[in-house]
Amino acid sequence: MKLPGQGDFESSDAHENAHSEEPDSGLGPGPGLNGPSGIDIGESQVSKDPLLFIQLNELLGWPQALEWRETGRWLLFEEKLDMGAGRWSAPHVPTLELPSLQKLRSLLAEGIVLLDCQAQSLLELVEQVVSGESLSPELRGQLQALLLQRPQHHIQTMGIRPCRESNAFRKASRDEDAPLKHQNPLRQKLPAGAEAAAVLAGELGFLEQPLGAFVRLRNPIVLEPLTEMILPSRFFCLLLGPPTLGRSYHEMGRAAAVLLSDPQFQWSVRRASHLPDLLAALDAFLQEVTALPPGRWDRTARIPPPKYLPSQHKRFPSKLQEVTSLSRQSAALAEDKHHHGPHTPIPELQRTGRLFGGLIQDVRRKACWYTSDFLDALHPQCFSAVFYIYLATVTNAITFGGLLGDATEGAQGVLESFLGTAVAGAAFCLMAGQPLTILSSTGPVLVFERLLFSFSRDYSLDYLPFRLWVGIWVTAFCLALVATEASLLVRYFTRFTEEGFCALISLIFIYDAMGKMLNLIRAYPIQRPGSSAYGCFCQYPGTGGNTSEWTSAKLKDTEDILSVQPGLVNASFLPPPECIRQGGHPLGPSCHTVPDIAFFSLLLFFTSFLCAIALKHIKNSRFFPSVVRKVLGDFSSVLAILLGCGLDTFLGLATPKLLVPTEFKPTLSGRGWLVSPFGANPWWLSVAAALPALLLSILIFMDQQITAVILNRAEYRLQKGAGFHLDLFCVAVLMLFTSALGLPWYVSATVISLAHIDSLRRESKACIPGEAPNFLGIREQRLTGLVVFVLTGVSIFLAPVLKSELMYQPKAPEINISVN
């Protein structure tokens, strides 16, 4: 049986999808998605009732030694005490037996109901409850002594304090409960003003008739022995009766606790005046209960809490709905006023009507936050964010460096990628309007670089000078866009535009990865069993001093030598019956069979991919502690890459390695760091470069501003504002700088920037079990990005570690062949 408001998973999924399908970009500050339990703004403003902690104490041991023992507790969800393990279960959605609710209603209808009870202590409360029962004086005394018996809590409280009224308790709780915080961690998670409710249930042999009592105290008092936490109690429920088959009173106690944990029932009971009001609230609860047919589900299965709770607004009584609707309207008007109306842009996107007016406004707006951008980074969370984003940035620099090296045939490489990422990224973090943005090479820009190089090669043009003029024109076009406040167009970017562009970037990554593997298969075909060719590497002394190099030779037979080139990073498939001399140098004292390069490359490729997927899914699994799951999920890609590289190194596989210069100089030999404006190109090419530069400018504008729109969504609750014009200006200046040095072009990287923001999320530490932590905002600062790019620059000296030579050490048995 599903309970109202807690098991409606379809509603929660729809609530989640509603946020992901918003048509507008939602720029500017506003409420986040992860509000407290998904409760409506109007509801939270109307219902000011304190949070209720409910504890179930069950009477056990009849007929030998009777004792009260804590067996369950509720806040939003149920937690059961595992007697054998001595620990609480994970919070879960409670499921009840329908007869237990019906028996509870009958027992309350015939039992004692005290609303606004004036009792000032547990003793007075017990006396009022027992005096209302038709029992003999002897049984009444036994029952009173039993109710005053101290229950066995899972977490024992120290000492017995006298009962206090809630006001006095709230004033002294901060000082008096300090030594108890280390004993009950749940106490620290409860909000200020929380109250308690005690439910006592069990079977008594000397009772002939069921005994039921429901008490609401006018002034909550601390019934300290009854609950594990020292909280003022508002409700008291007693359910006792003669022994019966099964655990009917245990289930009735759970039903009473679940009723008190329901927001609508609790709201109604707090305002009830008579018994019919209490029964009406219980009937309203029964009308919303969803029953599950027997035999169709496992009763022992525990339903985990939904990610988002459905709204409780429609479940409240009509009077509360009217007040809530008025509150919603006033909140909507205030929000429209805060957001300057539905058609009025946020301050960052208001037109000034002056040249560079938007840029000047961005500079003035961000200048007042510049000092706090560094002071706000003095938090331990920023250290973990630096480590996380550094690994992602270095991995991205290596990846794009290798792709650029292939796309430009060595005109650019890993060294340029590291240097450009460090310099451009650090400069952007210091000057940008949104310093949370991470600059990097992106898929669309990589495609443009590949096309530009192919055009230069096909028409015999000098690539780097031609690329310099393209960068100069792009800078001019982007500055023109900044001057005319073209960034205001981002107001018309919809969620479809953002998701479509992100999908394009993802497809480019996938296409490049698959294309790389297919090219490897074509270059080094996988050898089938029985093939006449097999791999061989021969070692021979090189001509440079005492060093030796690995050389591959590809032979069809013993007399056909296709190529023998010292130092060539290549694999060969040949059946050499003997080693052959070339230029007076023997090809080596021995030849070694080489495993299939393409096969092992594919093996590492799919191993890394599947490992990353598996680690990503561990984050939402039940394995390992939550901290370990979060680390494995966040660093899944990095760990998968390290695993693949470790296997490659440990097994000594003959796979293509990264081309990394061992010296601090450009990858392309024969050129300096500054690119000549003309080189071997004709002068008119500097003017013709404006055409591809126009296309690249549109690409840069879309890539940069779509990322900026995504990062400045209202759901992130950014307080320091955006800087669309200033960000585009910084990108334009950096385009000129990187073009002059022959470094890759950089623009905002969506994936890494979102990871950066996610690593700086601020969430409430005290959260109710089963409820997601409340999202408080983002730790906005400049220092994490700056440190990340400085570390990336230092990583340039890791070039020897990334050495590109094919250091293959064969594991197969050697085939020794004499040299004639």
Side-chain angles (χ1 to χ4, degrees):
M1 180 185 67
K2 292 183 179 179
L3 303 181
Q6 290 182 328
D8 195 358
F9 297 107
E10 295 179 1
S11 300
S12 65
D13 292 338
H15 175 75
E16 180 178 354
N17 294 335
H19 289 282
S20 62
E21 295 177 0
E22 293 178 354
D24 55 358
S25 57
L27 296 173
L33 297 176
N34 296 332
S37 305
I39 305 291
D40 295 332
I41 298 176
E43 176 185 332
S44 62
Q45 291 176 347
V46 174
S47 180
K48 296 295 185 180
D49 295 334
L51 182 69
L52 197 63
F53 168 77
I54 306 106
Q55 177 175 321
L56 173 61
N57 295 333
E58 192 172 354
L59 185 62
L60 304 174
W62 174 265
Q64 288 80 17
L66 292 175
E67 67 172 357
W68 295 101
R69 184 175 293 273
E70 179 185 13
T71 59
R73 65 186 186 185
W74 287 256
L75 283 169
L76 292 178
F77 302 96
E78 180 181 14
E79 295 179 80
K80 293 181 179 180
L81 181 62
D82 189 345
M83 296 293 186
R87 58 184 175 85
W88 291 105
S89 68
H92 56 277
V93 177
T95 56
L96 298 174
E97 297 177 0
L98 191 58
S100 65
L101 286 169
Q102 297 171 345
K103 293 179 181 179
L104 176 64
R105 188 188 188 286
S106 301
L107 192 58
L108 293 179
E110 300 173 357
I112 300 174
V113 176
L114 302 177
L115 302 177
D116 294 332
C117 178
Q118 300 288 345
Q120 298 297 319
S121 66
L122 178 60
L123 179 60
E124 294 182 15
L125 175 63
V126 171
E127 289 177 350
Q128 294 188 32
V129 171
V130 173
S131 62
E133 296 293 336
S134 57
L135 299 174
S136 63
E138 181 180 358
L139 294 181
R140 188 173 299 169
Q142 293 181 12
L143 181 60
Q144 181 173 338
L146 183 63
L147 293 178
L148 292 176
Q149 182 179 338
R150 186 180 184 87
Q152 297 293 324
H153 301 300
H154 176 57
I155 299 178
Q156 294 291 341
T157 56
M158 296 176 56
I160 301 178
R161 302 188 182 95
C163 297
R164 294 158 290 203
E165 294 187 4
S166 62
N167 293 334
F169 169 77
R170 288 167 185 168
K171 292 179 180 179
S173 62
R174 179 173 300 180
D175 297 331
E176 296 182 3
D177 290 341
L180 295 177
K181 287 186 177 180
H182 70 280
Q183 294 185 341
N184 196 339
L186 182 61
R187 180 65 181 89
Q188 305 178 44
K189 299 181 180 181
L190 296 181
E195 297 178 347
V199 179
L200 280 65
E203 298 177 350
L204 271 177
F206 59 77
L207 290 179
E208 297 179 357
Q209 297 294 330
L211 187 155
F214 183 87
V215 179
R216 186 188 70 198
L217 297 169
R218 176 182 293 273
N219 297 318
I221 59 175
V222 180
L223 306 177
E224 186 174 354
L226 294 185
T227 58
E228 66 176 75
M229 287 185 295
I230 312 301
L231 291 173
S233 297
R234 172 73 68 173
F235 298 100
F236 175 83
C237 184
L238 178 63
L239 304 169
L240 295 175
T244 58
L245 295 177
R247 304 180 64 189
S248 59
Y249 285 93
H250 168 76
E251 292 299 326
M252 278 194 289
R254 290 185 62 247
V258 171
L259 280 170
L260 289 172
S261 67
D262 180 66
Q264 178 183 351
F265 180 84
Q266 185 185 143
W267 186 91
S268 301
V269 170
R270 286 180 181 274
R271 293 153 181 82
S273 303
H274 307 283
L275 174 61
D277 297 335
L278 176 63
L279 298 180
L282 199 155
D283 292 337
F285 180 89
L286 286 172
Q287 290 178 359
E288 297 188 61
V289 165
T290 302
L292 295 174
R296 298 295 190 272
W297 69 296
D298 185 6
R299 291 178 178 270
T300 62
R302 293 172 180 170
I303 304 175
K307 187 175 182 181
Y308 296 103
L309 287 179
S311 173
Q312 303 289 329
H313 170 64
K314 296 181 180 180
R315 299 186 57 239
F316 279 81
S318 57
K319 292 183 179 180
L320 177 62
Q321 289 190 26
E322 294 177 1
V323 179
T324 305
S325 61
L326 294 176
S327 177
R328 282 172 171 272
Q329 294 177 5
S330 60
L333 292 175
E335 184 176 0
D336 289 342
K337 183 178 180 180
H338 179 71
H339 288 293
H340 308 279
H343 301 289
T344 305
I346 60 176
E348 291 88 345
L349 296 178
Q350 287 184 342
R351 183 177 296 277
T352 63
R354 303 188 306 272
L355 286 177
F356 294 101
L359 176 63
I360 296 173
Q361 292 295 332
D362 284 349
V363 172
R364 291 176 178 174
R365 190 180 303 109
K366 303 301 292 187
C368 61
W369 296 104
Y370 200 78
T371 302
S372 67
D373 285 342
F374 293 93
L375 297 178
D376 292 345
L378 303 179
H379 191 274
Q381 183 183 11
C382 296
F383 291 98
S384 59
V386 166
F387 178 70
Y388 175 42
I389 302 302
Y390 167 71
L391 292 179
T393 303
V394 168
T395 304
N396 198 64
I398 294 174
T399 302
F400 275 100
L403 294 175
L404 276 175
D406 292 340
T408 61
E409 296 181 2
Q412 294 171 305
V414 176
L415 183 62
E416 285 85 355
S417 180
F418 269 89
L419 181 61
T421 300
V423 176
F428 187 85
C429 288
L430 288 173
M431 300 184 301
Q434 183 49 270
L436 297 176
T437 304
I438 300 295
L439 286 193
S440 177
S441 298
T442 61
V445 176
L446 175 64
V447 171
F448 187 88
E449 292 256 26
R450 184 182 292 117
L451 295 175
L452 190 65
F453 179 82
S454 299
F455 178 82
S456 302
R457 181 188 56 195
D458 294 342
Y459 290 93
S460 302
L461 300 177
D462 200 350
Y463 169 64
L464 289 178
F466 182 38
R467 182 179 180 275
L468 171 60
W469 281 108
V470 172
I472 293 173
W473 279 107
V474 168
T475 301
F477 289 145
C478 289
L479 291 178
L481 293 175
V482 173
T484 56
E485 299 179 314
S487 296
L488 301 180
L489 296 175
V490 302
R491 290 180 294 178
Y492 305 104
F493 289 174
T494 63
R495 183 63 65 93
F496 176 79
T497 308
E498 302 168 13
E499 300 297 339
F501 205 82
C502 293
L504 173 63
I505 296 175
S506 301
L507 290 176
I508 291 174
F509 278 120
I510 297 173
Y511 175 82
D512 285 337
M514 300 304 297
K516 186 77 173 179
M517 298 309 302
L518 293 177
N519 291 335
L520 195 62
I521 294 175
R522 284 194 295 266
Y524 313 123
I526 299 177
Q527 302 304 307
R528 296 177 176 84
S531 175
S532 60
Y534 61 90
C536 174
F537 266 80
C538 299
Q539 187 181 22
Y540 73 97
T543 57
N546 295 325
T547 61
S548 62
E549 299 178 352
W550 290 99
T551 301
S552 61
K554 189 171 184 180
L555 307 177
K556 289 183 178 179
D557 51 47
T558 57
E559 297 179 356
D560 184 12
I561 302 176
L562 295 182
S563 64
V564 178
Q565 301 179 14
L568 178 66
V569 182
N570 190 11
S572 62
F573 304 94
L574 64 155
E578 58 183 0
C579 288
I580 303 171
R581 296 177 180 271
Q582 176 186 351
H585 294 289
L587 285 181
S590 62
C591 293
H592 313 290
T593 57
V594 179
D596 286 319
I597 288 182
F599 172 76
F600 283 110
S601 298
L602 286 173
L603 183 62
L604 291 176
F605 172 80
F606 286 109
T607 300
S608 303
F609 173 73
L610 295 177
C611 179
I613 295 296
L615 292 176
K616 198 71 176 178
H617 283 79
I618 285 180
K619 188 174 184 179
N620 299 322
S621 69
R622 298 181 179 179
F623 301 102
F624 307 111
S626 58
V627 177
V628 177
R629 293 200 308 266
K630 187 176 188 303
V631 171
L632 293 178
D634 291 341
F635 294 92
S636 59
S637 300
V638 177
L639 292 176
I641 293 174
L642 293 178
L643 175 63
C645 295
L647 288 176
D648 182 275
T649 304
F650 178 74
L651 299 177
L653 302 180
T655 53
K657 303 299 190 295
L658 199 62
L659 292 170
V660 180
T662 57
E663 299 177 4
F664 187 74
K665 63 180 182 180
T667 303
L668 183 63
S669 60
R671 85 166 183 94
W673 281 112
L674 287 177
V675 177
S676 174
F678 292 99
N681 296 330
W683 66 268
W684 52 265
L685 193 63
S686 59
V687 180
L691 181 58
L694 179 61
L695 302 178
L696 181 59
S697 300
I698 298 175
L699 183 63
I700 293 289
F701 180 83
M702 294 292 293
D703 203 349
Q704 170 64 35
Q705 301 296 30
I706 286 179
T707 303
V709 168
I710 294 175
L711 296 183
N712 289 281
R713 284 177 180 169
E715 63 197 58
Y716 294 120
R717 301 186 182 183
L718 300 179
Q719 302 297 322
K720 299 181 180 181
F724 297 97
H725 309 283
L726 182 56
D727 289 347
L728 185 58
F729 175 80
C730 294
V731 170
V733 174
L734 291 174
M735 283 288 294
L736 179 61
F737 173 78
T738 53
S739 300
L741 294 181
L743 304 178
W745 289 321
Y746 294 97
V747 73
S748 297
T750 307
V751 177
I752 302 181
S753 299
L754 287 176
H756 189 205
I757 281 187
D758 187 66
S759 65
L760 295 171
R761 291 171 62 94
R762 295 187 297 113
E763 296 178 341
S764 59
K765 294 182 180 180
C767 57
I768 301 171
E771 182 187 31
N774 295 332
F775 176 65
L776 303 178
I778 303 296
R779 202 171 301 279
E780 302 176 60
Q781 37 73 45
R782 298 178 182 269
L783 200 56
T784 55
L786 181 62
V787 174
V788 163
F789 289 115
V790 170
L791 293 177
T792 304
V794 176
S795 302
I796 295 175
F797 300 101
L798 295 178
V801 180
L802 306 173
K803 200 171 182 179
S804 63
E805 294 173 321
L806 189 61
M807 300 297 293
Y808 172 69
Q809 299 178 359
K811 301 295 181 181
E814 298 182 354
I815 305 177
N816 295 322
I817 304 175
S818 60
V819 179
N820 294 326

